[in-house]
Amino acid sequence: MKPIAVDAFGGDHAPKEVILGAFLAAKEFDLDIVLVGKKSEVEHNVGLFSKDFSSHVVQKITIENASDIITMFDKPSVAIRKKDSSIYMGMELVKQKQASAFVSAGNSGAVMAIAMVVLGKLKGISRPAIGALLPTVNSSVLLLDAGANVDCKPIHLLEFSIMGSVFIKHMLGIQKPIIGLISNGSEPGKGNSLVIKAYDLIKSSVLNFYGNIEGNEIFSDKVDVAVCDGFVGNIILKTSESVPNIIGEFLKAQISKSLVYKIGYLLSKPAFRMLKKKTDYAEFGGAPLLGVNGACIISHGRSKAYAIKNAILKAAKFASLDINIKIEEAVEKCSALKYIHRGVENAI
């Protein structure tokens, strides 16, 4: 496998935590990694960490100089013009087959826009989407789209359903992933016009479609892929990310009020530790950008080394399983998409 390209200057804790994450991934997963960013700063940090790792691990880390940086405040229209940035050059490495995949904890809008420009879209996909793996009671659910497309048409939700089904099938080994369409009611016919029309499209496909699901069912293990537009998806994602912290703060406040509560907490500490681990975004590493012609993982902006390590592993697995080829094959087999792509997209 070719190296995994990593944006050394993406995220709140770059470059130090990103580079440490790259070292951890090289050690734990025996992966080759190319760090993309300002060479002098990357070399300085690589030198600091090199003494803590074996020569075998150090040799797996290489550097690709990128003189520019895309900030979290850069609009996508500005970002795509920064061709010497770490995101742009990392994508170029994937396009030129010098890297198997790309990982960034930087500006997600910029990653999306540059991926569209540099890598292009998969055949038959009109809108790439960000998929966020969220914990459920017994497994995980892929929320798609998690923020890339705030305005969607029914065809896009069908495309998201296909991409999500393929991703979950091969990444998690679920043979017939169950698709759920997020709505304000479980009955057919509930929802806005987008959801109502998308329901009929997805139902007419060969996908394993559960039907509508409400917000309280997303984490219930009823479905493996929860589909919605990016506006709804991003709100769900941000809300779900805040819940563990709120629970933690509530428990701290209550535990301090009583000795009995303190004893109960100590007895339950292993369970709380497992809950924290299960809901920690760092465990998932990052979100796949599905629908572009390359393997790309977008990590949380707050990612530290552990999260970056896991994102690199996910990117390597994404690339090794040829998921993009399988998405194109699934799209080709979808008769509903073929019909729509012939020119009636605007009619639905």
Side-chain angles (χ1 to χ4, degrees), residues 9 21 25 38 44 46 76-77 88 93 112 132 138 146 164 170 196 204 236 238 243 246 252 279 293 314 317 328 332:
F9 282 82
K38 292 183 177 180
H44 172 71
V46 166
S77 58
Y88 203 106
L93 291 175
M112 171 85 170
N138 297 306
H170 296 285
I196 292 170
S204 69
I236 292 171
K238 296 295 174 58
V243 170
I246 293 170
K252 286 179 184 177
T279 58
N293 195 18
K314 184 175 289 183
K317 187 175 181 180
E328 289 184 330
E332 178 63 26

Side-chain angles (χ1 to χ4, degrees), residues 167-178:
F167 182 84
I168 287 294
K169 177 180 179 179
H170 296 285
M171 288 291 282
L172 299 187
I174 300 171
Q175 289 307 303
K176 290 196 70 176
I178 303 170

Side-chain angles (χ1 to χ4, degrees), residues 315-335:
K317 187 175 181 180
F318 187 166
S320 68
L321 292 173
D322 293 325
I323 286 175
N324 284 335
I325 293 173
K326 293 177 174 67
I327 288 175
E328 289 184 330
E329 290 172 349
V331 168
E332 178 63 26
K333 292 176 182 177
C334 182
S335 57

Side-chain angles (χ1 to χ4, degrees), residues 201-212:
L201 269 181
I202 301 170
K203 186 178 180 181
S204 69
S205 72
V206 296
L207 295 169
N208 189 13
F209 185 44
Y210 176 86
N212 288 340

Side-chain angles (χ1 to χ4, degrees), residues 115-228:
M116 292 273 282
V117 171
V118 176
L119 301 176
K121 296 179 290 187
L122 293 177
K123 184 180 178 181
I125 296 296
S126 55
R127 291 279 188 93
I130 297 172
L133 269 174
L134 302 177
T136 63
V137 176
N138 297 306
S139 185
S140 302
V141 62
L142 182 69
L143 178 69
L144 197 69
D145 178 24
N149 305 280
V150 295
D151 295 306
C152 292
K153 295 178 180 179
I155 181 179
H156 303 139
L157 300 194
L158 174 58
E159 290 176 0
F160 300 166
S161 300
I162 294 170
M163 293 191 295
S165 180
V166 172
F167 182 84
I168 287 294
K169 177 180 179 179
H170 296 285
M171 288 291 282
L172 299 187
I174 300 171
Q175 289 307 303
K176 290 196 70 176
I178 303 170
I179 311 297
L181 182 62
I182 298 174
S183 184
N184 64 336
S186 58
E187 306 87 352
K190 279 294 185 76
N192 57 20
S193 59
L194 169 66
V195 171
I196 292 170
K197 292 176 181 177
Y199 183 101
D200 292 334
L201 269 181
I202 301 170
K203 186 178 180 181
S204 69
S205 72
V206 296
L207 295 169
N208 189 13
F209 185 44
Y210 176 86
N212 288 340
I213 58 168
E214 297 183 71
N216 61 345
E217 298 175 297
I218 295 172
F219 307 100
S220 66
D221 288 311
K222 287 186 177 180
V223 300
D224 303 301
V225 182
V227 176
C228 59

Side-chain angles (χ1 to χ4, degrees), residues 99-121:
S100 298
F102 177 67
V103 174
S104 177
N107 184 324
S108 58
V111 173
M112 171 85 170
I114 293 172
M116 292 273 282
V117 171
V118 176
L119 301 176
K121 296 179 290 187

Side-chain angles (χ1 to χ4, degrees), residues 53-71:
F53 293 87
S54 68
S55 58
H56 173 73
V57 172
V58 175
Q59 289 170 6
K60 288 188 164 295
I61 306 292
T62 56
I63 301 169
E64 179 75 18
N65 184 49
S67 59
D68 209 348
I69 295 174
I70 292 172
T71 72

